[in-house]
Amino acid sequence: MSRIQDAISRRRTFAIISHPDAGKTTLTEKLLLYGGAIQLAGAVKARGERRRARSDWMKVEKERGISVTSSVMTFDYGDCTFNLLDTPGHEDFSEDTYRTLTAVDSAVMVLDSAKGIEGQTRKLFEVCRMRDVPIVTFVNKLDREGMDPFELLDQVEQELQLEVTPGSWPIGMGKTFRGSYDLLNEQLMLMHRDPARDKERKTEGLVCEGLDDPKIDQFLDESQAGQLREEVEMARGLCAEFDRPSYLEGNLTPVYFGSALNNFGVQTLLDALVDMAPPPRPQPTKERQVEPSEEKVTGFVFKIQANMDPKHRDRLAFIRLCSGEFERGMKLHHPRSGKALNMHNPVLFLAQDRELAEQAFAGDIIGMPNHGNLHIGDALTEGEDLHFTGIPSFAPELLQRVRADDPMRAKHLGRALSQLAEEGAALILKTRLSSDWIVGVAGALQFEVLADRIRTEYNIPVHFESTPFNTARWIDAEDPKELKAFETRNDLQVADDHHDLPVYLAKSAWQLTCAEQDWPQVRFMKTREQIQ
Ligand code: G4P
């Protein structure tokens, strides 16, 4: 096996999708514990707590160090190098949260065992489905009373139209939670409620010869052992068997039960990711498919983090490598501008701290400081003109009108907004009739972030005002006349994005449905490919 092939076969690049409070931060912390990055584990936790204190937000943003470092966390476990990409939730939910999922090869879906599938999980799941991202499910908080495991599996199957197969089966719940039975490796895993054991990092499994193994009766009382045998038999009868191709296609999810807080089930989850999660996948471009084992370096920008130092207006572009062996100092071709970029200060995200990247492979993420010349969706190559596809913009769910406090600065505001739009920070729309600037975001706090950035980076104080619009869709039609007719009829509700693509602004979901029914020739799109 070549060096490159060996390196990529050991890469696992993934994200955690969950609803706030399901336990993503706690699980991340425990995953890092196994990867030996204990120091940062504390930092992640601290950040989780501070994140909730809304008034502290700006302060947190100023301390970009932590927030940037934990955007990507790299750690080793088993024979694998894991790249865990953060999907910001809570108030800092943004389009980046969605787009991060375009840079991963698989995802872990964390569910709170008492709540099952919640709103944000569903939204993020939809993005995974668009790209057939394989998902492992972790049902968390088994140390509390929650839903019946059968009910939970049924919910995942019905609501997400995703086949389920239990990877482990819980023994008891809440106060009676003892551990789980690992169905794929036939092991009994028992939980120790002693937090001091956290440090040992290991949960030893008791290898069994199937469920009839009398060893099980030594550790569980009669009723728990009986219940376990009965339930596992039922689950095996009801659920599909684990089938790796089906998981890799995103049609089946293995489900694990545990408690991140008690560090239970985390190792089983990691072992499952080592065994079944895919190494870097080939990536589609307009021109051809890029194989991760190709010798030449390619990558694409999926996220821009700005304002790291407001005085310098520098931005960090997060690049997902798709092939080759990247080395610090190499020059890469930037097809959009046709220029060569010198990669002398790339940043690699080792969990302990940000480090200068010396070397990286497909699946790895590198950060490139730049002054705004890299945009979301941009490709970097060793000379070939490639354009990666499947890095969409997502229709925003919150829309507000933005105005400069000083009307004389309105023209400058337009320029600032178009720069922010190019960077991918928000969707910026200009209404056709009133020429108002409308800003669309995925999470409410993004309005504050934008107002703060426009004020500090462009020196334009602005304020946001509510609009009657509640949802946006890019519109298109086979027949241009049909599109024109729709736009004319709805001229008060049509705007253009920064690429001059038409967008329909609906006042309610109901109005959107009516428009879709009344105009069957018009396509209403929730996502749009990046235009480079
Ligand atoms: P998030 O990142 O998905 O938003 O969730 P986070 O890990 O911050 O967890 C949300 C809350 O759930 C936290 O409690 C956390 O301690 C708790 N939690 C996480 N995993 C488990 C688990 O396995 N069992 C139980 N019982 N609780 C769990 P909190 O009180 O909101 O915060 P904290 O004061 O503990 O930090």
Side-chain angles (χ1 to χ4, degrees):
M1 210 191 286
S2 78
R3 245 168 78 76
I4 294 185
Q5 269 165 341
D6 179 53
I8 56 179
S9 67
R10 292 187 290 107
R11 289 289 185 284
R12 300 285 182 274
T13 301
F14 75 108
I16 299 178
I17 60 171
S18 64
H19 191 82
D21 283 339
K24 186 187 70 171
T25 313
T26 313
L27 180 63
T28 302
E29 183 186 323
K30 303 297 177 177
L31 290 172
L32 295 180
L33 195 72
Y34 284 96
I38 300 164
Q39 275 183 337
L40 183 78
V44 173
K45 188 72 198 157
R47 178 183 169 227
E49 275 157 17
R50 267 181 300 175
R51 204 196 256 173
R52 246 162 268 151
R54 200 164 178 282
S55 57
D56 271 1
W57 182 82
M58 292 295 172
K59 211 168 75 209
V60 173
E61 281 301 296
K62 291 218 173 80
E63 295 161 9
R64 288 275 182 175
I66 286 181
S67 136
V68 169
T69 312
S70 48
S71 296
V72 181
M73 288 158 277
T74 300
F75 61 94
D76 290 326
Y77 174 79
D79 260 352
C80 290
T81 295
F82 284 87
N83 294 310
L84 168 53
L85 274 54
D86 189 28
T87 47
H90 289 275
E91 291 94 349
D92 44 5
F93 187 80
S94 67
E95 206 190 327
D96 273 349
T97 311
Y98 291 133
R99 210 155 25 215
T100 294
L101 297 174
T102 65
V104 300
D105 300 302
S106 72
V108 170
M109 175 165 76
V110 178
L111 303 179
D112 180 328
S113 77
K115 298 187 175 147
I117 310 251
E118 299 174 84
Q120 200 161 298
T121 331
R122 198 174 296 110
K123 282 187 205 164
L124 295 169
F125 170 78
E126 278 173 21
V127 179
C128 288
R129 163 137 299 162
M130 268 171 48
R131 310 186 68 245
D132 300 329
V133 172
I135 293 174
V136 173
T137 302
F138 184 78
V139 179
N140 190 27
K141 306 196 188 182
L142 262 287
D143 59 317
R144 287 201 190 152
E145 291 300 322
M147 284 162 69
D148 175 80
F150 284 104
E151 200 187 325
L152 238 154
L153 293 180
D154 191 50
Q155 194 190 50
V156 174
E157 195 158 84
Q158 298 300 325
E159 283 202 26
L160 304 182
Q161 296 293 304
L162 185 63
E163 260 198 301
V164 290
T165 187
S168 71
W169 195 262
I171 303 165
M173 186 192 286
K175 286 203 176 70
T176 64
F177 182 58
R178 290 295 315 279
S180 68
Y181 187 77
D182 177 343
L183 273 79
L184 300 181
N185 301 304
E186 302 284 356
Q187 291 193 48
L188 183 67
M189 313 294 290
L190 293 175
M191 184 176 84
H192 308 284
R193 282 186 188 252
D194 176 6
R197 295 189 73 124
D198 241 20
K199 294 202 181 69
E200 291 173 21
R201 295 196 215 159
K202 277 208 167 344
T203 319
E204 289 297 336
L206 181 73
V207 180
C208 301
E209 308 253 331
L211 272 166
D212 291 333
D213 196 322
K215 270 186 271 178
I216 291 180
D217 303 285
Q218 287 169 23
F219 290 92
L220 301 180
D221 66 33
E222 208 181 315
S223 82
Q224 279 199 315
Q227 190 182 352
L228 172 68
R229 290 185 172 117
E230 198 178 303
E231 290 184 349
V232 168
E233 196 179 326
M234 248 175 89
R236 280 187 164 142
L238 287 169
C239 301
E241 252 182 70
F242 177 69
D243 173 55
R244 190 154 185 259
S246 185
Y247 155 72
L248 291 178
E249 284 159 17
N251 295 326
L252 173 140
T253 180
V255 182
Y256 290 86
F257 293 84
S259 165
L261 191 63
N262 291 288
N263 198 16
F264 182 78
V266 179
Q267 196 189 347
T268 312
L269 175 71
L270 264 174
D271 288 335
L273 294 175
V274 169
D275 289 344
M276 57 177 89
R281 311 201 286 179
Q283 297 287 336
T285 71
K286 252 191 238 165
E287 294 76 12
R288 63 183 184 88
Q289 178 158 293
V290 172
E291 297 296 327
S293 57
E294 289 176 19
E295 290 204 347
K296 295 218 163 138
V297 171
T298 64
F300 64 82
V301 178
F302 66 94
K303 170 176 169 153
I304 308 262
Q305 184 127 16
N307 206 14
M308 300 185 12
D309 179 350
K311 274 186 243 110
H312 294 104
R313 272 205 200 169
D314 63 343
R315 295 155 172 39
L316 193 66
F318 289 74
I319 299 160
R320 145 99 198 200
L321 292 178
C322 302
S323 64
E325 181 173 349
F326 172 87
E327 277 178 11
R328 187 152 79 94
M330 71 193 306
K331 269 202 171 103
L332 288 181
H333 171 63
H334 181 226
R336 188 171 53 77
S337 64
K339 289 191 182 137
L341 296 186
N342 213 331
M343 313 288 282
H344 27 235
N345 295 316
V347 177
L348 193 68
F349 301 91
L350 286 179
Q352 282 82 356
D353 210 336
R354 281 207 270 162
E355 292 198 358
L356 279 188
E358 293 295 341
Q359 212 175 35
F361 297 90
D364 288 342
I365 310 298
I366 53 173
M368 257 318 282
N370 74 100
H371 294 290
N373 43 349
L374 287 174
H375 296 173
I376 299 228
D378 279 3
L380 290 168
T381 72
E382 285 195 57
E384 199 177 346
D385 274 327
L386 291 177
H387 299 84
F388 286 91
T389 56
I391 314 154
S393 283
F394 297 86
E397 289 169 32
L398 301 163
L399 296 153
Q400 288 197 358
R401 182 180 298 129
V402 59
R403 293 230 161 116
D405 292 353
D406 171 4
M408 301 297 282
R409 309 272 297 156
K411 210 166 97 208
H412 301 276
L413 176 62
R415 209 168 308 139
L417 290 172
S418 73
Q419 279 189 16
L420 291 167
E422 271 169 19
E423 192 187 282
L427 180 70
I428 310 288
L429 301 168
K430 193 167 196 188
T431 54
R432 290 253 170 105
L433 282 190
S434 51
S435 290
D436 280 333
W437 290 107
I438 298 210
V439 173
V441 296
L445 196 63
Q446 293 304 307
F447 289 126
E448 263 176 63
V449 178
L450 285 170
D452 187 56
R453 288 193 55 191
I454 298 170
R455 193 165 38 239
T456 53
E457 291 175 41
Y458 299 91
N459 198 19
I460 312 171
V462 294
H463 59 276
F464 284 92
E465 295 169 358
S466 62
T467 67
F469 307 122
N470 129 319
T471 188
R473 291 288 182 272
W474 282 277
I475 45 176
D476 192 8
E478 214 49 43
D479 177 0
K481 275 196 232 114
E482 192 69 25
L483 185 64
K484 191 92 218 129
F486 176 82
E487 289 175 354
T488 312
R489 184 75 63 83
N490 296 282
D491 57 0
L492 282 170
Q493 288 177 244
V494 173
D496 295 295
D497 75 2
H498 72 288
H499 288 295
D500 278 338
L501 292 176
V503 172
Y504 172 62
L505 298 165
K507 292 182 181 164
S508 63
W510 178 78
Q511 191 182 43
L512 176 64
T513 313
C514 292
E516 284 170 335
Q517 281 165 0
D518 295 347
W519 297 82
Q521 318 278 11
V522 176
R523 280 195 300 270
F524 294 82
M525 293 167 293
K526 229 176 160 174
T527 59
R528 172 182 69 62
E529 277 285 320
Q530 294 290 328
I531 296 175
Q532 295 169 23

